[in-house]
Amino acid sequence: MSVPVLLDVDTGIDDSLALLYAVASPEIDLLGASCVAGNVPLDAVVSNTAAVLDLAGRCDVETAPGCDRPMARPLKTTPETHGPTGTGHAMPAASPDRSSERSGIDLVIDTARSRPGEVTLVALGPLTNVAVALDREPRLLTLLDRLVIMGGCFGVAGNTAPRTEWNTHVDPEAARAVFAAAGRGACNLPLVMPLDVTEQARLLPHHVARMAEIGGESMEFLDPLLAGPEAGRLMSFITDALRFYMEFHQRYDGFYGAFVHDPFAVAAAVDPSLVTTVETTVDVETAGELTTGETVADFRDSWGRPPNAAVAVAARADVFLERLVVRLGGLLRSRP
Ligand code: RIB
Ligand code: CA
């Protein structure tokens, strides 16, 4: 049975892989993508999301523009991570403007209302859209089957500041509002995929080579990552986007590869056996001089507050990576 899924994205390179993974996964019924400003400005997120879905043969999937800035702060983007346009060295042809008439917020609310208890919303960027949707529809978390959040870090160093992960760092007020809503009960606890587990999955050049082989494609080089001269459009996109992302990780994390946070969150959303979770209370710092955006988990219940999250604390990263390689390889085989 397929799982109805909405993705909230700030497309970016790993968001692109998450979109491709969702399209390539037979158990996922991708209902739409709501876009939020984050890695790049909103207009680039919308254009990138539509372009990736077109490359995957899914121009039928609704792409809706959501919030163009955080709730209470100026937007921060990260061109150094995802490139000036958000897809690294890849410059996918912008598809004709097919962004939805309705906003990303309305896409989320309308879909949850129309299929109560069925839809999984996977938030892969700052939580601005989710927080605004909750403000407009306070029942949202009970109307959804589940909310899955890629974000936060608890026992590992942050990737944006010493204690903060990018998505919660960009919009701490939105993240705090979402966790507060989840703590008011009557919903499945959101699954939280923090850096603690997403950084256990490192996509390396040999994974891309295997993806290409499965997809009937060839690689010119693995370092730097370069597709063969006869590569199809989707293979060229994947290698050109990942080459930029791997260069970034070489500079900042000391390895030529890529943390693939967002597709891991999508994979865990539809296969909870990929992660081990602990139910706890999470809150978000919004006024710290050094720690604004930090996600704080009360694992020892010192606050005495009801749990509001199922935080992934361990993961089967290798199983996920194998699934990512095989499924994207299968998608490559199906695309020109
Ligand atoms: O910290 C990783 C997250 O921030 C991912 O969602 C990535 O796309 C960026 O948005
Ligand atoms: Ca993202």
Side-chain angles (χ1 to χ4, degrees), residues 229-250:
E230 308 299 321
R233 292 171 62 231
L234 181 55
M235 187 71 221
S236 298
F237 171 82
I238 289 173
T239 47
D240 291 344
L242 278 173
R243 183 168 66 257
F244 187 99
Y245 207 34
M246 290 185 176
E247 290 160 359
F248 166 81
H249 285 85
Q250 181 68 64

Side-chain angles (χ1 to χ4, degrees), residues 235-299:
M235 187 71 221
S236 298
F237 171 82
I238 289 173
T239 47
D240 291 344
L242 278 173
R243 183 168 66 257
F244 187 99
Y245 207 34
M246 290 185 176
E247 290 160 359
F248 166 81
H249 285 85
Q250 181 68 64
R251 285 195 303 276
Y252 287 88
D253 299 290
F255 73 99
Y256 190 70
F259 292 131
V260 281
H261 311 279
D262 291 345
F264 203 170
V266 174
V270 297
D271 180 4
S273 76
L274 289 176
V275 291
T276 303
T277 62
V278 170
E279 294 189 359
T280 186
T281 308
V282 173
D283 205 338
V284 182
E285 179 58 65
T286 57
E289 186 182 344
L290 304 174
T291 56
T292 288
E294 178 177 359
T295 46
V296 181
D298 184 19
F299 288 119

Side-chain angles (χ1 to χ4, degrees), residues 8-16 39 82 123-126 150 166-167 261-262:
D8 189 71
V9 293
D10 63 332
T11 309
I13 295 168
D14 62 331
D15 304 74
S16 301
N39 289 322
H82 296 271
L124 301 174
M150 191 282 129
W166 171 257
N167 288 334
H261 311 279
D262 291 345

Side-chain angles (χ1 to χ4, degrees), residues 50-69:
V52 170
L53 289 168
D54 290 357
L55 282 169
R58 292 301 308 275
C59 55
D60 61 298
V61 175
E62 186 175 353
T63 301
C67 298
D68 64 1
R69 73 200 66 183

